[in-house]
Amino acid sequence: MTGDPAPTIRVDKWLWHARFFKTRSIATRLVSEGRLRVDGTPISKPARMVGPGMVLTFPQGRAVRVVRILAIGERRGPAAEAQELYEDLSPPPPPRSDPNPSFDGKGRPGKKERRYIIRHRRDTGSGDLD
């Protein structure tokens, strides 16, 4: 009875296989900057080996992703195959505080309404037009 060790893979390579990052070098840079946690512990070495059952926490864009590794994968395949490598534990994004205005059911604002919105935001200091 031989106890085969659990399969492992480099964390930067797994992040790339699971399609969280477009290139492996971007994943390597994220880990090197110390912005990734494995089971709650910050790491800074891209060669850190990870395997099924481990939980990764890292920023992606404006969101923080929390994922549990289910499989290590053999290649960087299509998105459907990549989604089978992990379970997403990330909290749902908070609701937007300022939903898109409906403009009294008229659809998109016209030129006059756009000028009013821009002037109003500039006067009140509301910031971006997001």
Side-chain angles (χ1 to χ4, degrees):
M1 181 173 176
T2 61
D4 290 335
T8 58
I9 188 171
R10 287 175 56 116
V11 68
D12 61 335
K13 194 170 183 180
W14 186 86
L15 288 167
W16 178 66
H17 277 192
R19 293 188 164 267
F20 285 109
F21 299 100
K22 193 171 185 177
T23 65
R24 189 167 163 192
S25 62
I26 294 172
T28 302
R29 187 174 8 157
L30 175 101
V31 177
S32 297
E33 292 172 354
R35 298 170 60 201
L36 177 92
R37 292 175 179 258
V38 176
D39 292 332
T41 305
I43 64 167
S44 60
K45 296 190 178 191
R48 169 74 149 74
M49 302 303 272
V50 294
M54 294 183 172
V55 177
L56 306 180
T57 307
F58 57 94
Q60 186 180 31
R62 294 183 177 189
V64 174
R65 301 293 302 260
V66 181
V67 296
R68 176 177 288 122
I69 299 174
L70 299 178
I72 59 169
E74 297 177 14
R75 65 186 183 118
R76 179 179 164 93
E81 187 178 306
Q83 289 173 350
E84 295 175 1
L85 300 179
Y86 64 91
E87 174 186 359
D88 195 357
L89 305 174
S90 302
R96 290 185 62 159
S97 60
D98 183 22
N100 294 333
S102 63
F103 299 104
D104 300 327
K106 298 178 191 174
R108 284 178 48 168
K111 189 172 187 175
K112 185 176 182 180
E113 289 90 4
R114 284 195 310 269
R115 287 181 175 168
Y116 171 78
I117 291 169
I118 291 169
R119 190 177 325 111
H120 176 72
R121 287 187 176 169
R122 184 177 48 228
D123 294 342
T124 59
S126 296
D128 296 331
L129 297 175
D130 289 353

